Amino acid sequence: METMVGKTKLSLVQGDITQQDTEAIVNAANTGLLGGSGVDGAIHRAGGSEILEECKAIRAKQGGCPTGQAVITTGGRLKARYVIHTVGPVWSGGGKREEELLKGAYDSSLTLAKERDIRSIAFPSISTGAYRFPIEPAARIALSTVRDFLRGHSFSEVRFVLFSEKDLQVYEDCWKELSSTQAD
Ligand code: APR
């Protein structure tokens, strides 16, 4: 699905985040920044050791990356020039600021991309894998956070890359709901 939000193309696709040709792709990292499985493992495998080296340099400078925040490294061998590593919350029932922290992960990634004049960015569905955030509320948070951010900024493209057809359908349904109830 593709639509325009102001001057920005918002696209929802099924695919592999490591194959995206946007200027930046977002990694669903952990606070330690030393890699993992899922998206994190795929990006480090496909992007190569340069990415990990820069993650280690960030760790040496500032420790890891707190939940809800983001850091940026080279894209290494990826098509994307940059990887923005953000850390989503682990779902623990909803009583521990998970919604706020997930929103923070998207906001921090978008803000960092703007600071670096990055024109296009691709997100995975943050926190909905190993971190077990239920995908429907996660999609609502992701899409509403991006929609609100785009009220004050524009990119050439913001892309959500869903790993499964089912997840893509959840995001598409969620966007239809959000954009039908959005006050103009
Ligand atoms: N491309 C796009 N989406 C993917 C890919 C991929 N190559 N691989 C997995 N996904 C999807 C998953 O299906 C899920 O919907 O990305 C979403 C996020 O899943 P995770 O990668 O498990 O991320 P998250 O839930 O945020 O957990 C992060 O897992 O890998 C570790 O180091 C990471 O500790 C961190 C935790």
Side-chain angles (χ1 to χ4, degrees):
M1 181 215 90
E2 283 184 9
T3 185
M4 292 306 287
V5 180
K7 291 189 257 152
T8 302
K9 180 166 84 170
L10 174 69
S11 34
L12 306 179
V13 302
Q14 184 193 346
D16 179 341
I17 191 90
T18 66
Q19 301 306 310
Q20 301 307 311
D21 59 359
T22 46
E23 200 175 344
I25 64 169
V26 176
N27 182 20
N30 59 53
T31 54
L33 288 180
L34 294 179
S37 52
V39 166
D40 204 0
I43 287 177
H44 280 282
R45 259 193 315 279
S49 59
E50 239 185 308
I51 298 175
L52 186 61
E53 289 319 306
E54 291 195 9
C55 284
K56 285 178 181 169
I58 292 167
R59 268 173 69 91
K61 204 167 57 193
Q62 65 175 57
C65 178
T67 300
Q69 295 185 27
V71 296
I72 189 166
T73 69
T74 177
R77 293 199 304 264
L78 293 168
K79 292 177 197 148
R81 274 184 65 196
Y82 301 102
V83 177
I84 291 176
H85 306 261
T86 194
V87 182
V90 176
W91 179 255
S92 42
K96 298 214 172 48
R97 301 175 50 229
E98 292 100 322
E99 302 223 351
E100 179 195 328
L101 288 166
L102 185 59
K103 177 174 171 39
Y106 285 100
D107 265 331
S108 307
S109 302
L110 291 163
T111 301
L112 192 45
K114 265 291 146 214
E115 283 167 3
R116 304 292 288 262
D117 287 328
I118 289 168
R119 295 294 304 144
S120 57
I121 182 169
F123 284 100
S125 178
I126 296 165
S127 280
T128 60
Y131 283 0
R132 299 187 321 283
F133 206 115
I135 189 151
E136 284 84 2
R140 240 189 331 276
I141 292 163
L143 291 167
S144 57
T145 303
V146 166
R147 180 196 60 188
D148 296 349
F149 189 88
L150 295 179
R151 289 210 170 102
H153 305 85
S154 73
F155 290 90
S156 60
E157 182 179 2
V158 175
R159 187 181 303 168
F160 282 91
V161 183
L162 289 314
F163 212 35
S164 71
E165 183 58 42
K166 182 176 95 31
D167 290 357
L168 174 61
Q169 197 56 60
V170 169
Y171 270 70
E172 288 181 342
D173 295 347
C174 178
W175 179 256
K176 284 192 194 94
E177 205 182 295
L178 274 176
S179 41
S180 63
T181 54
Q182 178 179 345
D184 290 322

